[in-house]
Amino acid sequence: MFVDLDYFFAQVEEVENPSVKHKPIIVCVFSGRGGDSGVVSSANYVARRYGVKAGMPIRTAKRILPDEAIILPIRLSHYSEVSRKIMNLLKSFGGVVRVESIDEAVMDVTAVVDGDFEKAVALAKEIKKKIFDETGLTCSIGIGPNRVIAKMAADASKPNGLKLVMPEEVADFLRNQPVEALPGIGSKSGKILTEKGVRNVGDLAKLELPELEKIFGFKRALYFYQASRGVLDEPVAEKPPPSQISKIITLKRNTRDIEEVMEALSAVVEDAMARLASSGYLASKLGLIVITTTLKTITRQTEIRLGTGLDENLRSIRKILAELLEEDGELYIRRVGVRFSELKKFSGQSSLNLFTES
Ligand code: TTP
Ligand code: MG
Ligand code: MG
């Protein structure tokens, strides 16, 4: 079973402010280099009707959207919190849950439904209702004999969809899908294939392994070979725990002004904390990463209490940074980041306090 939230970031904004519901909504990542520089992160389906999509420059989106469009800055730590809540709901239904990204998860529910696809459909309906009741968000769920088919079924059912592809329907389902619908085929591979006259998955499934290997190398060729025939049967396994979570950015200009660096770091720490929280881990070490104008990398870390809040983490980072600057009067910083490490699993209670306590 594959679960993907519909227009996730934009839908969170919509649900929290229903008055914007029927308007085009785009959530943007402003680059911080001024004006409208940056890209679209998520657009609701109203905005998509105008051709707005993720990855598009904000300027382009503004040009094609009407005046009443709602343009919002990304709130990643908030979406991560919503995501974590939803992933925990999914885990409460049993089965193996592998979180694939902030808005998608693949679940092996074979044992939960005794291998019965109709029961899986009933379970998916329950899951959709639970997510909606708890968060107000819709998602799309695909069900199939393996994860590739389940993901494609979810994509094909969007938005607010539910689609089952039975084992005996796999060949028909795949035949007429465009090759780009196959997970892992991006626009680049898609283009190479189209140029060879391979337009849909049915065409792809006619190619033999050696032929694919010449174009894509063995590993990808084998994946395309199996996936296009609907026979990819990787088991669903939970992800191994991360060993660290880090985030690094380039400063707007080179500097050794502590206030300037700390201002940039506050968003960096917040973002890393959001990812830490949504991963379900707490850190006992926090490190500062500094890349100087001479391209030297300096890392230095400190112990922190499990579950420290944003302000406290910023104080720790500031202290390390002040020491570095004091030790070396020639140090000018070009890039800066933070790293949480020595992670420990935490379970149950909300980590909301991670963002609010001081
Ligand atoms: P997706 O699931 O790819 O997209 P979506 O949820 O916005 O829309 P859909 O209904 O088609 O599933 O990505 C999940 C979130 O990840 C998305 O809301 C925003 C973020 N994202 C980006 O920031 N940049 C991107 O290029 C993409 C594709 C997604
Ligand atoms: Mg989505
Ligand atoms: Mg997704």
Side-chain angles (χ1 to χ4, degrees), residues 4-9 45 48 103-104 158:
D4 187 294
L5 296 160
D6 299 322
Y7 60 104
F8 181 40
F9 296 179
Y45 282 75
R48 288 183 201 191
D103 92 326
E104 52 200 60
K158 274 191 165 292

Side-chain angles (χ1 to χ4, degrees), residues 21 88 103 110 169 183 309 352:
K21 185 157 177 118
N88 281 339
D103 92 326
T110 314
E169 293 166 344
L352 259 180

Side-chain angles (χ1 to χ4, degrees), residues 28-173:
C28 298
V29 184
F30 290 93
S31 71
R33 299 225 163 193
D36 282 338
S37 111
V39 293
V40 173
S41 164
S42 174
N44 69 351
Y45 282 75
V46 184
R48 288 183 201 191
R49 280 207 291 277
Y50 293 90
V52 174
K53 54 185 178 194
M56 176 181 270
I58 298 169
R59 272 188 214 99
T60 313
K62 277 197 169 173
R63 199 162 54 234
I64 60 183
L65 278 177
D67 291 339
E68 73 269 22
I70 310 287
I71 292 169
L72 300 166
I74 191 167
R75 292 191 294 149
L76 204 53
S77 56
H78 181 58
Y79 312 139
S80 300
E81 192 57 37
V82 176
S83 168
R84 205 177 65 80
K85 188 171 169 190
I86 292 171
M87 297 309 167
N88 281 339
L89 288 178
L90 294 181
K91 287 171 191 165
S92 73
F93 285 90
V96 183
V97 179
R98 183 181 173 99
V99 177
E100 291 286 14
S101 74
I102 195 166
D103 92 326
E104 52 200 60
V106 55
M107 303 170 71
D108 182 352
V109 296
T110 314
V112 182
V113 300
D114 309 315
D116 180 332
F117 282 94
E118 291 306 328
K119 278 192 197 159
V121 171
L123 178 65
K125 284 181 183 158
E126 257 182 74
I127 291 173
K128 281 170 68 85
K129 181 169 185 312
K130 183 87 179 169
I131 293 176
F132 187 79
D133 290 347
E134 300 276 325
T135 66
L137 297 173
T138 63
C139 65
S140 297
I141 301 186
I143 301 166
N146 63 55
R147 56 198 289 163
V148 173
I149 301 299
K151 178 168 170 55
M152 291 174 78
D155 288 345
S157 77
K158 274 191 165 292
N160 198 7
L162 170 54
K163 185 171 173 64
L164 163 68
V165 177
M166 292 288 282
E168 59 271 22
E169 293 166 344
V170 166
D172 274 341
F173 172 69

